[in-house]
Amino acid sequence: MKRLFSTDVVFLHAPSVYDFRRDTIFFGPISDVVPSSPAFEMYPMGITSLAETLEKNGYNVRIVNLAYLMLRDPDFDPEKLIARLKPRLFAIDLHWLPHAHGSLEVAQLCKKYHPDIPVAFGGLSSSYYHEELISYPYVDFVLRGDSTEEPMRQLVSSLRQGQADFSSIPNLTWKKPDGQPVVNPLTWIPDNLDYTTIPSYRYVMGSVFKYGSLHNTMPYLDWLSYPITALLTARGCTQNCSICGGSRSAYARICGRQKPAYRSPKALVEDIRFIKSFGKAPIFILHDIRQAGMDYAREFFGLLKKERIPNELIIELFFPADEEYFRLISESVPRFSLELTIETHEEHLRRLNGKFKCSNAAVEATIAAALKYNCRKIDLFFMTGIPGQTYQSALASIDYCRQLLEKFNGDKRLSLFIAPLAPFLDPGSPAFENPEKYGYIKHCQTLEDHRQALTRPSWKHILSYETTTMSRDEIVEATYEAAYRLNELKREYNLIPEEVYEDIRYRITQARQIIAEIDRILLIPDEEVRQLSLQKLKARVAELNRHTICGKDELKWPLRRRFAGLWSLGKLLTMLFLEEVKRVGLRLRGNYDQHPLEMG
């Protein structure tokens, strides 16, 4: 009876660097163009799908976002919380490599207080480094691949039954009792995503009710004030961008996936219908819908038109689009915005990199078509540190931004950004696997290399690479100079308020000074004096560790409403309560594992 209500699995999301509140580390702009902070408190959405699958099969599953809790409360002690938890299994994500330090530190804490409770890792980075990861004494399992819902269910089922032989579980790397590692075949590779929901907002909402904690599952620090949601349309990609760990060749290498697995248009619209029941903020549709073909896109938007959703959609583009596409979107949703990452204005570099392999004229025609069909906002991203880029080329991207503003008469719907490829070159990406071809010089190769790099005192020294055309110093300076010039350009065209302009100008100036001061401190031979000198910078570093190169609200889309009304929320919570009552009944009867997944 006690086990009936106890927790079977606890998913722990660690900060990028476990000691980020104590150590002086200037992360700079590495998270300025994503919703989360440099602690990268946003956990991978696949965790919710894993949790939902386990809950459907009778298990009690909690997600605990340690990174969020540590950011929210300076006095929160993650070690005390971990000591109190007693699940069958701790599951820690290492999806994005910037978590290489925090995730391993959290794993050590789990073993410190619970030496007999196994620890599992999962995610793309875990999959890439699974053999190195399993060699750590505090890691017992690594679930490999991009779709581990069923392998995870089988693992938890085996643990519940007290089994010690896990050789039949697909995608699993594990240890025998004598410590010998075993790598099971990577065979669980579903060819569609309709078997689950990604992410599972049903699980997230239900867990708030079930476990009585709103904050454990918060995706990022200010989500309650800006509750944007997202949906994953595919696992895998048709594109093969050189610096992307989620590229076509990376998925083949890491996950054994030869082609993308898509969520059907019908299932996506059902997901949107559920989101609509609790939230009215924008919904980000991850990946370019057209990857699956225009018939797929037409079906999706046709179904969406019938749904009459109030939410704005954020649409991602991987390649140019024409007027027909934007007409289709505008007829289906009340409002939409775009995300385009072209990385550089230089067409030959885009061809080398594999991103937006088209002419600038095609990029501009796409922007013009979107604006014609009343796109509310177009976020256009450039990058420093890409293959073949020089210092002058990086700065010339801002000249191209000026050309765009001139061409489109300073249209305020055009939002321009530039950010560095930081902190790491993605393992599994074409550039990581073939650095000479793309002009990269790698400073980190192993998981341990990356873990150690994250403890260095500035993002310049954390960078895992430089290129044959730019040193680390040049990448850092190109980032700040380009951002400085872009800030001036935005002010000239009245794209940002004066106070935002002044704030970013101040922050870039201060950031350059901090980089120089840290470089000088690192030359101090005495370790104790060096650490004391770094500690004196801590307050200034903390002030500048966010929103250095663009305003904190520049990436946000305007909100009309945040959440649904009380009636809709009440109906939703009642439904989730009844679902949980049904699951309790199944557990009382010992009916576990009634919903195994099948590939199809």
Side-chain angles (χ1 to χ4, degrees), residues 179-216:
Q180 179 184 346
V182 181
V183 180
N184 293 353
L186 182 66
T187 55
W188 185 265
I189 310 170
D191 60 9
N192 74 74
L193 300 184
D194 282 2
Y195 67 89
T196 188
T197 307
I198 314 167
S200 175
Y201 290 107
R202 182 182 295 269
Y203 167 80
V204 173
M205 297 294 290
S207 71
V208 171
F209 166 78
K210 180 176 179 177
Y211 297 109
S213 174
L214 178 65
H215 295 291
N216 277 350

Side-chain angles (χ1 to χ4, degrees), residues 475-517:
I475 292 168
V476 169
E477 181 53 29
T479 299
Y480 286 131
E481 181 60 25
Y484 188 91
R485 295 185 185 190
L486 183 56
N487 192 49
E488 296 287 335
L489 183 63
K490 290 176 181 179
R491 182 201 196 194
E492 179 183 339
Y493 277 84
N494 198 29
L495 299 179
I496 54 175
E498 184 68 18
E499 59 269 22
V500 172
Y501 161 76
E502 292 289 352
D503 184 53
I504 296 304
R505 185 182 183 189
Y506 166 80
R507 286 174 171 274
I508 291 173
T509 301
Q510 291 296 308
R512 283 167 148 164
Q513 292 177 11
I514 288 286
I515 287 284
E517 288 183 50

Side-chain angles (χ1 to χ4, degrees), residues 35 39 98-99 110 121 195 266 320 449 471 494:
H99 288 96
C110 291
F121 271 70
Y195 67 89
K266 181 180 178 182
D449 290 341
S471 66
N494 198 29

